[in-house]
Amino acid sequence: MTENKKPAYGGQAVVEGVMFAGKHTYVTAIRRNDDSIEYFEVIKRYSPWLNKIKKVPFLRGIAAILEASSNGTKHLNYSTERYNVLPGEELKKEESSPSKAMFVFSLAIIGIVSFLFAKFVFTLVPVFLAEAFRPWVQSHIGQNLLEGFFKFLFLLSYIYFVSLTPTIKRVFQYHGAEHKVINAYENGFELTVDNVKKQTRLHYRCGSSFILFTVVVGVFIYLFVPSDPLWQRVVYRLVLIPVVLGVSFEVLQITNKLRNVPVLKYLGFPGLWLQLLTTKEPDREQTEVAILSFTEMLRRDAEHEKRKLENSTKIV
């Protein structure tokens, strides 16, 4: 497979659907319980200061992660509330719902806070577990490796047990469909169900790979700070969360750029292996939803780009 210059689109699996992010918009397609396809769109709001941060190495990763958490929560909440509601019933809910602007803003805040809370827990719990083994593992390097081991074990256990629930299993299938669509697009195939189904469900830019890289990168970064006493170790872990996230994002980008380079492509394999747990093989209907979401995103993105050009021409 040769490298191409196509845009690097990303996406997210939601309940009974898939969200794709374009240059100007985020679009979700879900299959409702009456078998109809429904779309949800959130237009990207451009912030000058945020755009500047996105261009700064190491800082751009943190901005991208928080933005993805914010927008992902909106689309996930939409899919959760809509997919299983009978046509007509949603009108009753909409009449009694709060203002849309406040609702969307609240979801964005919840998404960011939830991500930060999960990161704190994922960071600190392994610290205390490793510390419990200090009578037997006292060295600085040994403690860091043990902490990394518990993080990795914690990660695998969490993914495995949540994947046992029927809802999450289907979300993981849509996750696989999302990857297959992007792979088909990047490889230049026509987006038909048969073509997409033939693609791999793994992708180098996946957030699952990013999560694994935070574990590995953290082990190396923590080697440069004290692990004893415990209070100081906890402080350093919390303070270095942005550093670990920023470096891990850059590692993710590098492995994606090297994915077609012999030998170096293997640097991204650990992340791909983790995706064997976070993605499942989608069926034809799930694949169809992912294709519809992606093509609708492309269509609406083109419309936004056209309006943007028309407005700029009028201004001139």
Side-chain angles (χ1 to χ4, degrees):
M1 182 176 67
T2 58
E3 189 69 23
N4 53 57
K5 300 298 182 181
K6 290 185 177 181
Y9 291 114
Q12 173 185 318
V14 296
V15 179
E16 295 303 325
V18 177
M19 179 272 284
F20 283 105
K23 182 179 179 181
H24 303 286
T25 185
Y26 302 88
V27 175
T28 287
I30 63 170
R31 187 182 297 277
R32 300 188 63 181
N33 61 358
D34 64 345
D35 208 37
S36 63
I37 302 297
E38 184 169 294
Y39 298 97
F40 174 64
E41 178 182 23
V42 176
I43 300 173
K44 285 189 174 182
R45 304 299 179 186
Y46 290 94
S47 170
W49 67 269
L50 186 60
N51 288 341
K52 290 181 180 179
I53 292 178
K54 287 181 179 179
K55 297 178 182 179
V56 181
F58 301 105
L59 291 181
R60 62 185 178 182
I62 299 173
I65 294 163
L66 294 179
E67 185 178 44
S69 299
S70 171
N71 286 297
T73 301
K74 300 173 191 175
H75 289 264
L76 184 60
N77 186 80
Y78 160 80
S79 66
T80 303
E81 289 192 344
R82 297 285 288 184
Y83 88 96
N84 202 30
V85 177
L86 294 173
E89 288 186 357
E90 66 269 15
L91 296 177
K92 300 177 183 178
K93 292 187 176 182
E94 289 173 359
E95 291 174 356
S96 60
S97 63
S99 69
K100 185 176 181 180
M102 181 58 69
F103 180 66
V104 171
F105 176 76
S106 300
L107 286 179
I109 297 300
I110 291 173
I112 294 175
V113 172
S114 298
F115 169 79
L116 293 176
F117 177 76
K119 184 57 184 172
F120 287 159
V121 173
F122 181 71
T123 298
L124 295 182
V125 171
V127 168
F128 292 108
L129 289 176
E131 187 68 24
F133 283 81
R134 187 170 287 279
W136 302 277
V137 183
Q138 298 180 358
S139 70
H140 179 61
I141 294 178
Q143 275 290 304
N144 278 328
L145 291 175
L146 190 59
E147 182 181 334
F149 169 75
F150 281 126
K151 282 185 179 179
F152 182 66
L153 190 62
F154 189 17
L155 177 62
L156 290 184
S157 299
Y158 173 77
I159 293 174
Y160 173 74
F161 284 112
V162 299
S163 68
L164 297 179
T165 64
T167 299
I168 298 301
K169 181 179 180 180
R170 288 189 63 81
V171 170
F172 284 178
Q173 286 180 292
Y174 278 106
H175 189 192
E178 174 222 329
H179 284 183
K180 284 175 175 283
V181 168
I182 292 179
N183 282 323
Y185 172 79
E186 292 181 343
N187 292 332
F189 291 103
E190 181 183 359
L191 296 182
T192 65
V193 173
D194 288 333
N195 285 344
V196 171
K197 284 281 290 179
K198 294 175 183 177
Q199 303 300 306
T200 175
R201 70 177 198 264
L202 312 180
H203 198 285
Y204 275 80
R205 289 197 311 273
C206 178
S208 302
S209 296
F210 169 76
I211 295 174
L212 180 62
F213 287 144
T214 62
V215 176
V216 178
V217 168
V219 170
F220 286 99
I221 290 179
Y222 298 153
L223 288 175
F224 297 95
V225 297
S227 60
D228 188 49
L230 178 60
W231 70 266
Q232 196 172 49
R233 182 177 186 175
V234 170
V235 170
Y236 274 118
R237 295 305 185 265
L238 294 177
V239 171
L240 289 174
I241 284 178
V243 178
V244 173
L245 293 176
V247 175
S248 299
F249 184 84
E250 299 302 322
V251 172
L252 181 69
Q253 300 303 308
I254 291 173
T255 57
N256 180 60
K257 292 178 180 179
L258 298 176
R259 60 179 174 172
N260 295 316
V261 180
V263 181
L264 295 180
K265 67 179 181 180
Y266 296 112
L267 292 174
F269 272 36
L272 297 180
W273 293 334
L274 183 61
Q275 290 175 44
L276 294 174
L277 289 178
T278 61
T279 65
K280 301 296 181 183
E281 192 65 30
D283 59 30
R284 295 184 67 85
E285 290 188 345
Q286 292 167 325
T287 303
E288 180 188 25
V289 172
I291 294 173
L292 291 172
S293 177
F294 189 76
T295 53
E296 183 68 11
M297 179 274 294
L298 292 179
R299 186 186 70 80
R300 298 195 187 196
D301 223 27
E303 288 182 352
H304 288 297
E305 183 69 23
K306 181 180 179 181
R307 284 196 291 266
K308 181 180 178 181
L309 291 175
E310 290 175 347
N311 292 334
S312 64
T313 302
K314 291 178 182 179
I315 294 175
V316 174

